[in-house]
Amino acid sequence: QVQVVESGGGLVQAGGSLRLSCVASGSIFSINSMAWYRQAPGKQRELVASFRFGGSTDYADSVKGRFTISGDNAKNTVYLQMNSLKPEDTAVYYCNVDYYRRLYAFPEIIWGQGTQVTVSS
């Protein structure tokens, strides 16, 4: 089995910072990428930032310059440093892991349970 555990959410004032962590564990041969998505009440889930373990990153326009995603391949972990937070960043943040269970297997996707981020004005 594979597990994904997120941590680091919470309540912060506008302009503040939070750091989210996501750890994948279990039957993982290798990871293609790890990404953070978010879903606000009444809205669709959207990509916030993605990290490929070759080193490339991608960000939603709304968070560019404020959020930074980084990863640790040895620990199957990805981090999301969120600075200059705004009330519109309030959402449940989900970690998404694109991985291989074994050599020559098809890639699989697994989601974490989510962590709440609330930014007060």
Side-chain angles (χ1 to χ4, degrees):
Q1 277 201 341
V2 176
Q3 289 186 322
V4 175
V5 178
E6 303 114 329
S7 61
L11 173 64
V12 65
Q13 287 189 334
S17 299
L18 284 174
R19 188 190 194 214
L20 305 184
S21 299
C22 171
V23 181
S25 62
S27 301
I28 296 172
F29 174 74
S30 67
I31 295 178
N32 281 327
S33 65
M34 297 178 74
W36 287 98
Y37 286 72
R38 67 186 180 187
Q39 187 166 19
K43 295 188 176 182
Q44 288 191 333
R45 191 171 296 189
E46 63 175 358
L47 175 67
V48 176
S50 64
F51 180 89
R52 289 194 171 274
F53 282 94
S56 64
T57 59
D58 192 25
Y59 296 92
D61 288 342
S62 59
V63 307
K64 283 180 181 177
R66 300 188 297 123
F67 291 10
T68 302
I69 191 169
S70 60
D72 186 332
N73 198 354
K75 296 180 179 180
N76 289 344
T77 299
V78 69
Y79 307 97
L80 185 68
Q81 178 66 43
M82 305 185 294
N83 299 327
S84 301
L85 282 160
K86 304 175 181 180
E88 51 263 43
D89 294 317
T90 295
V92 178
Y93 284 69
Y94 296 91
C95 183
N96 168 290
V97 182
D98 180 352
Y99 72 101
Y100 293 99
R101 193 179 293 267
R102 58 186 179 277
L103 186 63
Y104 304 127
F106 289 104
E108 300 180 46
I109 298 287
I110 186 169
W111 292 87
Q113 293 298 308
T115 184
Q116 177 71 46
V117 171
T118 303
V119 184
S120 63
S121 57

